[in-house]
């Protein structure tokens, strides 16, 4: 499945206050950037993910976010450093934007 123009517009609008925001299609999904720093993804199924490790990842987990995992060809499970946007943030654009800013700050 590939993202629609409406999906891409939604992500761009949601994070429009991020300075130097850009998006790039990749693997049927979307990379979301602040300048040269990728801070988020929209997977091909429409799930929004924020890049997080350490304390910020623990905070997202505490807010109900789930880490992106997938199964490799050999059957092994792999975890990526991306976490779903918590459900509350999907309903509150200000909270989603604040989390995106926190993700960017944690990456710097």
């Amino acid at each position: 499945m590939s993202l629609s123009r409406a999906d891409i517009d939604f992500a761009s609008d949601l994070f429009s206050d991020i300075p130097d925001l850009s998006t790039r299609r990749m693997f049927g999904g979307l990379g979301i950037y602040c300048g040269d720093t990728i801070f988020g993804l929209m997977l091909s199924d429409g799930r929004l993910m924020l890049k997080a490790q350490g304390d910020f990842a623990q905070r997202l987990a505490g807010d109900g976010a789930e880490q992106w995992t997938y199964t490799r060809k050999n059957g092994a499970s792999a975890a990526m450093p991306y976490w779903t946007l918590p459900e509350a943030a999907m309903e509150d654009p200000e909270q989603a934007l604040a989390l995106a800013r926190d993700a960017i700050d944690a990456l710097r």
Side-chain angles (χ1 to χ4, degrees), residues 19-75:
D20 202 16
L21 180 75
S22 64
T23 61
R24 296 182 191 127
R25 287 184 180 266
M26 53 176 45
F27 309 112
L30 188 72
I32 307 169
Y33 295 79
C34 172
D36 292 334
T37 302
I38 186 167
F39 70 89
L41 297 174
M42 181 178 264
L43 301 182
S44 61
D45 63 8
R47 284 182 293 166
L48 277 171
M49 315 289 283
L50 294 176
K51 191 168 188 177
Q53 295 176 324
D55 291 341
F56 185 56
Q58 290 176 1
R59 183 173 138 211
L60 288 174
D63 289 343
E66 296 179 7
Q67 189 170 16
W68 177 25
T69 59
Y70 68 96
T71 304
R72 296 178 183 213
K73 290 180 185 179
N74 67 3

